[in-house]
């Protein structure tokens, strides 16, 4: 099974599944884990709406996408989904916690 098939397995019975898997497998993928306060909510705001035509300028989808089937970026929709997806893409040994030098000025 391709990584993209496994990643979107929950959508396997949806009509867009095969196109989605094909698109995700059509070129390089850069997988990353973001951390921070309300990171899922904040990350989704930075990505823009799933349908790029509803996305604001300055978001990934607002600036780099035209149609929904090729919306250039995926982000987990919940902490639970993120945990599942992170374990799919990364080994535990590949992950590390990081606190930037500005954290003491940003977080209480």
């Amino acid at each position: 099974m391709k990584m993209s098939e496994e990643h979107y397995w929950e959508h396997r019975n949806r009509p867009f599944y095969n196109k989605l898997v094909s698109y995700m497998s059509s070129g390089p993928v850069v997988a990353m884990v973001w951390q921070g306060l309300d990171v899922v909510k904040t990350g989704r705001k930075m990505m823009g709406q799933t349908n790029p035509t509803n996305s604001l300028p300055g978001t990934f989808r607002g600036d780099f996408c035209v149609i929904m089937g090729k919306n250039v970026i995926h982000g987990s929709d919940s902490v639970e989904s993120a945990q599942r997806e992170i374990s799919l893409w990364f080994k535990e040994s590949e992950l590390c916690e990081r606190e930037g030098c500005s954290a003491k000025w940003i977080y209480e």
Side-chain angles (χ1 to χ4, degrees):
M1 178 180 296
K2 291 180 191 174
M3 181 73 80
S4 55
E5 291 172 330
E6 191 171 352
H7 183 93
Y8 288 112
W9 188 246
E10 66 192 62
H11 300 297
R12 67 189 172 279
N13 295 320
R14 310 280 301 270
F16 59 82
Y17 175 74
N18 289 330
K19 283 185 178 182
L20 181 59
V21 167
S22 177
Y23 176 60
M24 188 174 179
S25 304
S26 68
V29 172
V30 177
M32 62 182 78
V33 178
W34 295 353
Q35 67 181 44
L37 184 65
D38 292 326
V39 70
V40 171
K41 179 181 172 184
T42 302
R44 294 189 65 77
K45 193 167 209 155
M46 291 168 57
M47 287 186 296
Q49 299 293 313
T50 302
N51 185 340
T53 60
N54 298 330
S55 295
L56 294 172
T59 64
F60 289 100
R61 293 172 178 156
D63 289 353
F64 301 110
C65 304
V66 179
I67 61 171
M68 197 157 102
K70 296 189 176 193
N71 66 13
V72 88
I73 191 168
H74 167 81
S76 304
D77 61 1
S78 68
V79 172
E80 295 76 24
S81 291
Q83 290 169 337
R84 183 187 68 78
E85 293 168 0
I86 291 166
S87 69
L88 175 65
W89 288 90
F90 297 94
K91 298 174 190 162
E92 187 68 33
S93 62
E94 295 174 315
L95 301 172
C96 62
E97 296 266 337
R98 181 182 178 281
E99 184 175 298
C101 59
S102 62
K104 63 184 174 187
W105 295 302
I106 297 172
Y107 298 107
E108 293 185 81

Short mmCIF file of all heavy atoms in Angstrom, two decimals, residues 8 20 23 44 47-53 55 59-75:
data_model
loop_
_atom_site.label_atom_id
_atom_site.label_comp_id
_atom_site.label_asym_id
_atom_site.label_seq_id
_atom_site.Cartn_x
_atom_site.Cartn_y
_atom_site.Cartn_z
N TYR A 8 -4.84 8.51 3.56
CA TYR A 8 -6.24 8.90 3.31
C TYR A 8 -7.20 7.71 3.39
O TYR A 8 -8.32 7.77 2.86
CB TYR A 8 -6.37 9.60 1.95
CG TYR A 8 -5.76 10.98 1.96
CD1 TYR A 8 -4.62 11.27 1.24
CD2 TYR A 8 -6.34 12.00 2.72
CE1 TYR A 8 -4.07 12.55 1.25
CE2 TYR A 8 -5.81 13.26 2.74
CZ TYR A 8 -4.68 13.54 2.00
OH TYR A 8 -4.14 14.80 2.02
N LEU A 20 -7.31 11.81 -5.22
CA LEU A 20 -6.53 12.38 -4.14
C LEU A 20 -5.23 11.61 -3.94
O LEU A 20 -4.15 12.20 -3.84
CB LEU A 20 -7.36 12.37 -2.84
CG LEU A 20 -6.72 12.94 -1.59
CD1 LEU A 20 -6.33 14.39 -1.77
CD2 LEU A 20 -7.69 12.79 -0.41
N TYR A 23 -2.93 12.32 -6.88
CA TYR A 23 -2.34 13.66 -6.79
C TYR A 23 -1.24 13.71 -5.73
O TYR A 23 -0.15 14.22 -5.98
CB TYR A 23 -3.42 14.70 -6.47
CG TYR A 23 -2.89 16.09 -6.27
CD1 TYR A 23 -2.20 16.75 -7.28
CD2 TYR A 23 -3.05 16.75 -5.06
CE1 TYR A 23 -1.70 18.04 -7.09
CE2 TYR A 23 -2.56 18.03 -4.87
CZ TYR A 23 -1.89 18.66 -5.88
OH TYR A 23 -1.39 19.93 -5.69
N ARG A 44 -4.34 25.25 10.37
CA ARG A 44 -5.42 25.23 9.39
C ARG A 44 -5.77 26.63 8.92
O ARG A 44 -6.11 26.86 7.77
CB ARG A 44 -6.62 24.49 9.94
CG ARG A 44 -6.29 22.99 10.14
CD ARG A 44 -7.48 22.14 10.47
NE ARG A 44 -8.45 22.06 9.40
CZ ARG A 44 -8.34 21.31 8.31
NH1 ARG A 44 -7.25 20.57 8.12
NH2 ARG A 44 -9.28 21.28 7.40
N MET A 47 -3.20 27.53 6.39
CA MET A 47 -3.38 26.81 5.13
C MET A 47 -4.47 27.43 4.28
O MET A 47 -4.39 27.44 3.06
CB MET A 47 -3.74 25.34 5.39
CG MET A 47 -2.57 24.55 5.89
SD MET A 47 -2.94 22.80 6.04
CE MET A 47 -4.20 22.79 7.28
N GLY A 48 -5.53 27.92 4.90
CA GLY A 48 -6.68 28.44 4.18
C GLY A 48 -7.76 27.37 4.07
O GLY A 48 -7.58 26.24 4.52
N GLN A 49 -8.88 27.74 3.51
CA GLN A 49 -10.01 26.84 3.37
C GLN A 49 -9.67 25.68 2.43
O GLN A 49 -8.85 25.82 1.53
CB GLN A 49 -11.23 27.59 2.80
CG GLN A 49 -11.72 28.71 3.68
CD GLN A 49 -12.30 28.20 4.98
OE1 GLN A 49 -13.09 27.26 4.99
NE2 GLN A 49 -11.89 28.79 6.08
N THR A 50 -10.33 24.54 2.63
CA THR A 50 -10.11 23.37 1.77
C THR A 50 -10.33 23.73 0.31
O THR A 50 -9.59 23.33 -0.57
CB THR A 50 -11.03 22.21 2.19
OG1 THR A 50 -10.77 21.90 3.56
CG2 THR A 50 -10.78 20.98 1.35
N ASN A 51 -11.37 24.50 0.04
CA ASN A 51 -11.62 25.00 -1.31
C ASN A 51 -10.84 26.30 -1.49
O ASN A 51 -11.15 27.31 -0.87
CB ASN A 51 -13.12 25.25 -1.51
CG ASN A 51 -13.45 25.64 -2.93
OD1 ASN A 51 -12.58 26.09 -3.68
ND2 ASN A 51 -14.69 25.49 -3.30
N PRO A 52 -9.81 26.28 -2.32
CA PRO A 52 -8.95 27.46 -2.48
C PRO A 52 -9.69 28.73 -2.88
O PRO A 52 -9.24 29.83 -2.53
CB PRO A 52 -7.96 27.05 -3.58
CG PRO A 52 -7.99 25.58 -3.59
CD PRO A 52 -9.37 25.17 -3.15
N THR A 53 -10.82 28.61 -3.57
CA THR A 53 -11.55 29.82 -3.96
C THR A 53 -12.15 30.53 -2.75
O THR A 53 -12.53 31.70 -2.85
CB THR A 53 -12.67 29.49 -4.97
OG1 THR A 53 -13.60 28.57 -4.38
CG2 THR A 53 -12.10 28.89 -6.25
N SER A 55 -10.34 30.74 0.10
CA SER A 55 -9.17 31.03 0.94
C SER A 55 -8.71 32.47 0.77
O SER A 55 -8.71 33.01 -0.33
CB SER A 55 -8.03 30.08 0.58
OG SER A 55 -8.38 28.76 0.90
N THR A 59 -2.65 32.91 2.64
CA THR A 59 -2.68 31.52 3.07
C THR A 59 -2.05 30.67 1.97
O THR A 59 -1.96 31.10 0.82
CB THR A 59 -4.12 31.04 3.34
OG1 THR A 59 -4.87 31.06 2.11
CG2 THR A 59 -4.81 31.90 4.39
N PHE A 60 -1.60 29.46 2.33
CA PHE A 60 -1.02 28.59 1.31
C PHE A 60 -1.98 28.39 0.15
O PHE A 60 -1.61 28.53 -1.02
CB PHE A 60 -0.68 27.21 1.92
CG PHE A 60 0.48 27.23 2.86
CD1 PHE A 60 0.28 27.25 4.23
CD2 PHE A 60 1.78 27.22 2.38
CE1 PHE A 60 1.35 27.25 5.11
CE2 PHE A 60 2.86 27.22 3.26
CZ PHE A 60 2.64 27.24 4.63
N ARG A 61 -3.21 28.01 0.47
CA ARG A 61 -4.18 27.71 -0.59
C ARG A 61 -4.66 28.96 -1.30
O ARG A 61 -4.92 28.93 -2.50
CB ARG A 61 -5.35 26.93 0.00
CG ARG A 61 -4.93 25.54 0.46
CD ARG A 61 -6.02 24.84 1.21
NE ARG A 61 -5.63 23.49 1.60
CZ ARG A 61 -6.17 22.82 2.60
NH1 ARG A 61 -7.13 23.37 3.33
NH2 ARG A 61 -5.75 21.61 2.88
N GLY A 62 -4.74 30.07 -0.59
CA GLY A 62 -5.15 31.32 -1.21
C GLY A 62 -4.12 31.84 -2.20
O GLY A 62 -4.46 32.46 -3.21
N ASP A 63 -2.86 31.57 -1.93
CA ASP A 63 -1.78 32.07 -2.79
C ASP A 63 -1.32 31.08 -3.86
O ASP A 63 -0.83 31.49 -4.91
CB ASP A 63 -0.56 32.46 -1.96
CG ASP A 63 -0.78 33.72 -1.13
OD1 ASP A 63 -1.82 34.39 -1.29
OD2 ASP A 63 0.10 34.03 -0.31
N PHE A 64 -1.45 29.77 -3.59
CA PHE A 64 -0.83 28.79 -4.48
C PHE A 64 -1.77 27.78 -5.10
O PHE A 64 -1.32 26.85 -5.76
CB PHE A 64 0.28 28.04 -3.72
CG PHE A 64 1.34 28.94 -3.18
CD1 PHE A 64 1.45 29.15 -1.81
CD2 PHE A 64 2.23 29.59 -4.03
CE1 PHE A 64 2.43 30.00 -1.31
CE2 PHE A 64 3.20 30.43 -3.53
CZ PHE A 64 3.31 30.64 -2.17
N CYS A 65 -3.08 27.91 -4.89
CA CYS A 65 -4.02 26.91 -5.40
C CYS A 65 -5.12 27.55 -6.22
O CYS A 65 -5.44 28.72 -6.05
CB CYS A 65 -4.67 26.16 -4.24
SG CYS A 65 -3.49 25.40 -3.14
N VAL A 66 -5.72 26.73 -7.08
CA VAL A 66 -6.81 27.20 -7.91
C VAL A 66 -8.06 26.33 -7.74
O VAL A 66 -9.16 26.85 -7.65
CB VAL A 66 -6.40 27.23 -9.41
CG1 VAL A 66 -7.54 27.69 -10.28
CG2 VAL A 66 -5.18 28.13 -9.60
N ILE A 67 -7.87 25.00 -7.68
CA ILE A 67 -9.02 24.11 -7.56
C ILE A 67 -8.88 23.20 -6.34
O ILE A 67 -7.78 22.91 -5.90
CB ILE A 67 -9.24 23.25 -8.83
CG1 ILE A 67 -8.03 22.37 -9.10
CG2 ILE A 67 -9.54 24.12 -10.03
CD1 ILE A 67 -8.26 21.35 -10.20
N MET A 68 -10.01 22.76 -5.83
CA MET A 68 -10.04 21.98 -4.60
C MET A 68 -9.30 20.66 -4.71
O MET A 68 -8.64 20.23 -3.77
CB MET A 68 -11.48 21.74 -4.17
CG MET A 68 -11.60 21.30 -2.74
SD MET A 68 -13.20 21.65 -2.07
CE MET A 68 -13.95 20.05 -2.15
N GLY A 69 -9.37 19.99 -5.84
CA GLY A 69 -8.73 18.69 -6.00
C GLY A 69 -7.21 18.75 -6.01
O GLY A 69 -6.54 17.73 -5.94
N LYS A 70 -6.68 19.96 -6.11
CA LYS A 70 -5.22 20.13 -6.11
C LYS A 70 -4.88 21.31 -5.20
O LYS A 70 -4.36 22.32 -5.63
CB LYS A 70 -4.71 20.36 -7.53
CG LYS A 70 -4.96 19.15 -8.41
CD LYS A 70 -4.28 19.25 -9.75
CE LYS A 70 -4.51 17.95 -10.49
NZ LYS A 70 -3.67 17.82 -11.64
N ASN A 71 -5.19 21.13 -3.92
CA ASN A 71 -5.04 22.25 -2.99
C ASN A 71 -3.70 22.30 -2.27
O ASN A 71 -3.57 22.93 -1.25
CB ASN A 71 -6.23 22.35 -2.03
CG ASN A 71 -6.33 21.20 -1.07
OD1 ASN A 71 -5.41 20.41 -0.91
ND2 ASN A 71 -7.46 21.10 -0.41
N VAL A 72 -2.70 21.63 -2.76
CA VAL A 72 -1.26 21.74 -2.48
C VAL A 72 -0.80 21.44 -1.05
O VAL A 72 0.38 21.22 -0.85
CB VAL A 72 -0.72 23.12 -2.92
CG1 VAL A 72 -0.84 24.18 -1.88
CG2 VAL A 72 0.72 23.02 -3.39
N ILE A 73 -1.68 21.39 -0.06
CA ILE A 73 -1.21 21.18 1.31
C ILE A 73 -2.26 20.40 2.09
O ILE A 73 -3.46 20.54 1.86
CB ILE A 73 -0.90 22.52 2.01
CG1 ILE A 73 -0.18 22.30 3.33
CG2 ILE A 73 -2.15 23.39 2.16
CD1 ILE A 73 0.40 23.57 3.94
N HIS A 74 -1.78 19.56 2.98
CA HIS A 74 -2.68 18.83 3.88
C HIS A 74 -2.32 19.21 5.30
O HIS A 74 -1.16 19.39 5.64
CB HIS A 74 -2.51 17.31 3.72
CG HIS A 74 -3.18 16.56 4.83
ND1 HIS A 74 -4.53 16.32 4.83
CD2 HIS A 74 -2.69 16.04 5.99
CE1 HIS A 74 -4.85 15.66 5.95
NE2 HIS A 74 -3.74 15.48 6.67
N GLY A 75 -3.33 19.32 6.12
CA GLY A 75 -3.12 19.53 7.55
C GLY A 75 -4.13 18.72 8.32
O GLY A 75 -5.29 18.59 7.90
#
